[in-house]
Amino acid sequence: MNSKYKFDIESLGATKFKSPLKLSEVKGDKIFDFIGESDKLVFDLSMSEYEQCLKDGIAPLSLEKAGPRQNLYFDSRNVTAAIVTCGGLCPGINNVIRGLVMALHYFYDVKRIIGVPYGYEGLNPDKGHELVELTPEKVKDIHQFGGTYLGSSRGGQDVSIMVDTLEENKVDMLFAIGGDGTLKGVNAIGEEISKRNAKISVVGIPKTIDNDIDLIDESFGFETAFDVASPILRDAHNEATGAYNGISIIKLMGRDSGFIAASAALAMPVVNFVLIPEMDFSLDGVGGFLQVLEQRLHQKKHAVIVVAEGAGQQLFKDRKIVKDASGNVQHEDIGLLLKEKIAEYFKERSPVTIKYIDPSYIVRCAPANSSDSVFCSRLAYHAVHGAMAGKTKFVASRVNNRYVYVPISEVTKKRKKIDLEGEFWFSVLQSTGQPFSLG
């Protein structure tokens, strides 16, 4: 039995108010039903786990089903909600902001919704950022644009000061849109709230184009990211085939996980090599990357290489570890290193034409595509339903293609990475034709 996870969602207290949503409790009346607290979804769907639970006579590990509850902790008409966006930009942030505002206003008749400007800095009065009022009229069109309507920043602020700001503004629920660092931050805010015995719900909505949030199927913005990257790979392929021994190197984001690089290569199957942080590879020697690239050029006269930003960091000698404001290791530019080493290797062998393309900041600033737009709205709605019921320190997310609530503490224990023995990576290798190992 997999007991390393704890999926119980914390609650602020008893639910004393009735939901204003006119939903049903009766199956078959063609009206959506309220979600009950006993509605659970099994986490591990494998037959082996099922058989083990039968053998042990215990219930399988389950997650709380997301959705509207009939009984609420908050009197929705007297709620003040706050929204903050943190970390790097990502497609879909504005869709989530819009979805939260619309759900709070139209579903629950919330009169006061506060936007926190420039990430967690906005909760520190010393930074001088004024809180802003959010209304449906202000946010109705923001989903058409990339970036974040509220602004963002990296790095944390003093947790005690941030909670002071929430209390001074009589905030009842805080929605934090961000990745691993943001989620850890809002969980810390939740812990401080608990210490004060305050009654503020904190909710995370997982955002990162790297798709490296653990346990969940996918973070919003990821699909748009590799969708936007795909035509760039197509054009890079045109560049490569337009020259004898043409080589295109495209660097995509992926600090610790290579999901964008791998997915973009599958979506636009003109890529011949995908290099990701999860894999070790050598440049030199028998079976090394440069030798395999040479074989490719000998056969096809062109090559398209996609590299994630965090790949091949072991190749940098005397590398110094430098971190950004969020605590993330700042990587050396693997794309430029590859360009340099490839040029050096082929200088005395055969002429090559190398094009290096880095579209990272274009990709992450794009507006959400249709699929991500749907995903963002649904995440926003589920986040609001959970907060209204008094649930706290959870993320609204999708697991096994079903919407659930997961404790923030569980999804931030480690980063999700590509399994090099998994079917997904095998699909990438089948698409590119590159060997299982390089060096």
Side-chain angles (χ1 to χ4, degrees), residues 67-112:
R69 269 53 177 178
Q70 185 175 32
N71 298 312
L72 306 182
Y73 177 80
F74 292 105
D75 178 358
S76 60
R77 296 164 299 179
N78 297 315
V79 159
T80 294
I83 303 170
V84 64
T85 63
C86 307
L89 299 181
C90 172
I93 298 175
N94 283 338
N95 299 68
V96 176
I97 295 171
R98 183 186 189 280
L100 291 170
V101 172
M102 296 303 184
L104 288 162
H105 181 88
Y106 288 111
F107 299 176
Y108 290 101
D109 198 27
V110 173
K111 301 294 192 300
R112 186 168 179 246

Side-chain angles (χ1 to χ4, degrees), residues 364-380:
R364 77 175 198 168
C365 290
N369 64 15
S370 296
S371 179
D372 253 331
S373 294
V374 172
F375 188 30
C376 289
S377 292
R378 296 181 74 181
L379 287 175

Side-chain angles (χ1 to χ4, degrees), residues 80-205:
T80 294
I83 303 170
V84 64
T85 63
C86 307
L89 299 181
C90 172
I93 298 175
N94 283 338
N95 299 68
V96 176
I97 295 171
R98 183 186 189 280
L100 291 170
V101 172
M102 296 303 184
L104 288 162
H105 181 88
Y106 288 111
F107 299 176
Y108 290 101
D109 198 27
V110 173
K111 301 294 192 300
R112 186 168 179 246
I113 307 170
I114 295 170
V116 180
Y118 302 110
Y120 288 138
E121 283 189 8
L123 291 175
N124 182 351
D126 291 343
K127 296 295 182 178
H129 306 312
E130 294 291 330
L131 300 176
V132 298
E133 180 187 4
L134 297 177
T135 64
E137 186 64 27
K138 287 184 178 179
V139 303
K140 66 179 184 180
D141 296 322
I142 64 173
H143 62 291
Q144 300 181 48
F145 303 95
T148 166
Y149 177 76
L150 292 174
S152 185
S153 66
R154 290 193 181 277
Q157 302 295 320
D158 186 286
V159 174
S160 182
I161 291 174
M162 290 194 287
V163 176
D164 286 345
T165 302
L166 294 175
E167 290 189 317
E168 287 166 8
N169 286 275
K170 296 181 170 49
V171 170
D172 299 296
M173 53 188 67
L174 172 67
F175 298 94
I177 304 168
D180 184 75
T182 303
L183 297 178
K184 288 178 178 176
V186 77
N187 204 54
I189 290 172
E191 294 290 345
E192 176 65 18
I193 289 168
S194 296
K195 288 178 184 176
R196 300 185 186 192
N197 198 30
K199 301 301 181 182
I200 305 172
S201 170
V202 296
V203 183
I205 302 173

Side-chain angles (χ1 to χ4, degrees), residues 250-271:
I250 308 94
K251 187 180 78 170
L252 297 176
M253 285 187 166
R255 184 184 295 112
D256 300 298
S257 306
F259 287 103
I260 293 180
S263 297
L266 278 174
M268 184 58 66
V270 296
V271 177

